[in-house]
Amino acid sequence: MTKKWQAERLSMLGSSIFAEVGHWKSKAREQGLDVIDLSIGSPDLPPSQRVRQVLSEAVLRDGAYQYPGSRGSAAFLEQAADWLAFRFGISVDPETEMLSLMGSQDGLGHLALALCNPGDIALVPDPGYPVYAAGLALAGVTPYHMPLLAENGYLPDLASIPAEVLAKTKFMLLNYPGNPVSAVADLSFFAAAVAFAKRHQ
């Protein structure tokens, strides 16, 4: 019997939505359609001359080529905490309440591995960003899809989630302003969501 050299969990990932969109764009262009590309946040204009100048000066600094360590530099974390205070009026401890990541997808892709055991449940918006499903699949976590419907203002109906699901739920993902649905949630929704999460631990 030939060994299978691929984990079964890979079959749960599917293809990247961005790869699929790229294929659709190519097909549309082959048919002579003029495509306006709004995918994956890839800009069609370069950064400003000032930004490029600062970046070019930064690459010439001798100290710019050291790894920051797995936590990120203290200076970066402190600056990020200052920005949160400035932008959102919240106070966080950069030493104990912040974590630097290679990017949001890195954090989202590994979140379930850090919080859950196989068989746990995570509440995720539907539709949701593709990495939500991928991170759950790799961790063996079962997604419970919260439909984002127009009649609810594209907010999940938390009260409709069954008690047996909540008993096995470890975390909930909320993303506002939304992606891919560009809805927004106000402070009262988040206050209700936090209260809901605390009630169900």
Side-chain angles (χ1 to χ4, degrees):
M1 183 170 140
T2 304
K3 286 185 180 178
K4 190 173 179 183
W5 294 101
Q6 176 178 312
E8 291 178 8
R9 70 175 64 92
L10 288 181
S11 65
M12 296 186 289
L13 297 181
S15 64
S16 163
I17 186 63
F18 300 115
E20 290 185 37
V21 170
H23 178 71
W24 300 336
K25 286 187 299 191
S26 296
K27 287 288 187 194
R29 286 183 174 132
E30 286 172 12
Q31 295 169 8
L33 297 174
D34 185 18
V35 176
I36 299 173
D37 187 353
L38 300 176
S39 66
I40 211 167
S42 182
D44 60 354
L45 296 172
S48 72
Q49 182 64 35
R50 170 87 177 111
V51 167
R52 287 182 283 167
Q53 181 64 42
V54 170
L55 287 172
S56 66
E57 292 167 4
V59 299
L60 297 174
R61 290 198 329 259
D62 290 339
Y65 297 95
Q66 298 163 340
Y67 287 121
S70 58
R71 278 195 40 77
S73 72
F76 170 77
L77 294 171
E78 288 167 10
Q79 186 65 50
D82 289 346
W83 185 84
L84 287 172
F86 167 77
R87 176 67 176 84
F88 298 107
I90 60 172
S91 176
V92 295
D93 182 344
E95 187 65 31
T96 61
E97 297 180 304
M98 298 197 69
L99 177 68
S100 63
L101 303 169
M102 290 185 285
S104 59
Q105 291 207 60
D106 174 46
L108 289 165
H110 290 91
L111 182 63
L113 287 168
L115 298 179
C116 300
N117 293 312
D120 287 339
I121 293 175
L123 307 179
V124 292
D126 183 19
Y129 200 61
V131 74
Y132 299 166
L136 298 181
L138 290 174
V141 173
T142 302
Y144 179 84
H145 297 283
M146 302 181 294
L148 304 182
L149 305 174
E151 55 264 32
N152 296 333
Y154 301 103
L155 302 174
D157 179 7
L158 302 178
S160 71
I161 301 170
E164 61 271 19
V165 168
L166 295 170
K168 295 179 72 177
T169 295
K170 279 292 188 75
F171 72 91
M172 170 174 50
L173 286 174
L174 297 172
N175 178 26
Y176 293 98
N179 184 348
V181 179
S182 59
V184 294
D186 60 17
L187 189 57
S188 65
F189 169 77
F190 283 110
V194 168
F196 173 85
K198 286 181 175 179
R199 280 198 307 276
H200 298 285
Q201 300 182 34

